[in-house]
Amino acid sequence: MKAVLPAADADTPVLLGEAPEPAPAHNELVMSAEAYSVNRGETFQLDGQLDRTWQGWRPGKDVAGVVVRPAADGSGPAAGTRVVAHPPAYGWAERVAVPTSSVAELPDGVDAVTAAALPLAGITALRLLRAAGPVAGRRILITGASGGVGHYVTELAAASGAAVTAVVAYAERGARLAELGADTLVTSVADAPGPYDIVLESVGGDSLPAALGRLAPGGLLVWFGQASRTPVTLDFFDFFKGPNQARIAHFDYTTSETTYGRDLAALVRLVETGRLHPEIGSVRDWSRTAEVIADLRARKVRGNAVLTLS
């Protein structure tokens, strides 16, 4: 079958080639892909900055399509069912095997392109808000907010009654976040009014200590990424200048009491009922995946980039 393969050339990180048909485990279905999205974490893997050591690794964690072979153990949807899925890898291909616990069925009102934008960013947003605890009436600061996760967090948190401040690189990138419920838009953490009960930090580098300084005493900073690829330096004594007794929580979206499938089903339900609006920054044919990755590296894509299989 055709698949997007990792390449050794840094300027052309992937190429369209041939891969073996998926060999599903007992609890895995096989789906035919109609659309998939590209995430920044996958660009990090292709750059060698995140683990991609298992043999035969190919990218692809967000995919939507149709079940062509149900799981052998009888779990999950039947052949012909439209689904969205979050496999651990291999999703940028004509067909992919996915554990049934990582799959949700799609209603007629949610198309494959929209669904493909949901898994990693949407699941991360849901689980971030669970990690943050109750948000109604609380002030939240989100850094790196113009990405896919930031859009979902902003809409979900605002709908739950939070007062959201979104940090974006450029003012024009914040317009959509204001439509989704952000109360305040700033282009620098230094301009965020504060203090905040909760900070959701995904940039790293100088952003995290600056955001920490905007926390109220006893507040919570959830650290869920390092998009700048720059390590963080913290000074213990800075905590006494404002965020005294503040807490920093490391966040790993893969750790949860719920399955990917259950969270995907919740996201699909929110989209179907008009309470969640995926931000799709680019839709292209899958032959142009390398171009999309280049745009992500250059931060030219806002929201999710979705590729369609023709």
Side-chain angles (χ1 to χ4, degrees), residues 210-271:
L212 181 67
R214 294 294 184 271
L215 266 180
L220 171 67
L221 185 148
V222 183
W223 187 7
F224 72 100
Q226 194 162 293
S228 69
R229 309 193 190 194
T230 304
V232 170
T233 300
L234 293 175
D235 186 333
F236 173 82
F237 296 101
D238 283 343
F239 281 78
F240 296 102
K241 297 176 182 178
N244 195 17
Q245 298 299 309
R247 295 169 293 140
I248 298 177
H250 176 263
F251 175 83
D252 175 3
Y253 93 100
T254 68
T255 302
S256 176
E257 295 179 357
T258 62
T259 64
Y260 293 142
R262 285 185 62 185
D263 283 343
L264 280 172
L267 292 165
V268 168
R269 185 169 60 253
L270 290 169
V271 172

Side-chain angles (χ1 to χ4, degrees), residues 16-283:
L16 191 61
E18 296 288 329
E21 289 283 351
H26 197 61
N27 66 333
E28 292 181 329
L29 57 76
V30 177
M31 60 183 290
S32 174
E34 295 181 3
Y36 60 80
S37 65
V38 179
N39 298 290
R40 190 169 298 279
E42 288 161 328
T43 69
F44 289 179
Q45 284 180 292
L46 288 165
D47 291 344
Q49 291 197 303
L50 291 176
D51 179 47
R52 46 174 283 188
T53 56
W54 67 86
Q55 188 174 8
W57 176 85
R58 288 185 281 109
K61 297 172 73 70
D62 292 7
V63 60
V66 178
V67 177
V68 294
R69 188 192 311 174
D73 66 0
S75 64
T81 306
R82 297 178 60 247
V83 294
V84 59
H86 189 49
Y90 310 110
W92 299 357
E94 290 184 297
R95 287 167 292 280
V96 57
V98 189
T100 56
S101 61
S102 298
V103 173
E105 296 186 24
L106 290 176
D108 292 340
V110 180
D111 61 77
V113 168
T114 300
L118 285 173
L120 191 146
I123 291 169
T124 299
L126 272 183
R127 296 181 175 185
L128 265 175
L129 291 174
R130 290 190 192 124
V135 299
R138 308 188 80 186
R139 302 188 70 193
I140 298 179
L141 176 69
I142 306 172
T143 66
S146 61
V149 174
H151 281 85
Y152 288 131
V153 168
T154 296
E155 186 168 17
L156 292 170
S160 298
V164 177
T165 295
V167 184
V168 295
Y170 307 103
E172 60 270 21
R173 289 196 170 189
R176 179 60 174 156
L177 294 169
E179 294 175 7
L180 295 174
D183 291 275
T184 305
L185 301 171
V186 296
T187 57
S188 169
V189 174
D191 296 329
Y196 296 97
D197 305 295
I198 300 165
V199 168
L200 304 177
E201 215 299 297
S202 65
V203 178
D206 295 335
S207 176
L208 191 150
L212 181 67
R214 294 294 184 271
L215 266 180
L220 171 67
L221 185 148
V222 183
W223 187 7
F224 72 100
Q226 194 162 293
S228 69
R229 309 193 190 194
T230 304
V232 170
T233 300
L234 293 175
D235 186 333
F236 173 82
F237 296 101
D238 283 343
F239 281 78
F240 296 102
K241 297 176 182 178
N244 195 17
Q245 298 299 309
R247 295 169 293 140
I248 298 177
H250 176 263
F251 175 83
D252 175 3
Y253 93 100
T254 68
T255 302
S256 176
E257 295 179 357
T258 62
T259 64
Y260 293 142
R262 285 185 62 185
D263 283 343
L264 280 172
L267 292 165
V268 168
R269 185 169 60 253
L270 290 169
V271 172
E272 183 186 23
T273 55
R275 291 177 288 168
L276 187 65
H277 301 84
E279 188 71 7
I280 300 173
S282 175
V283 180

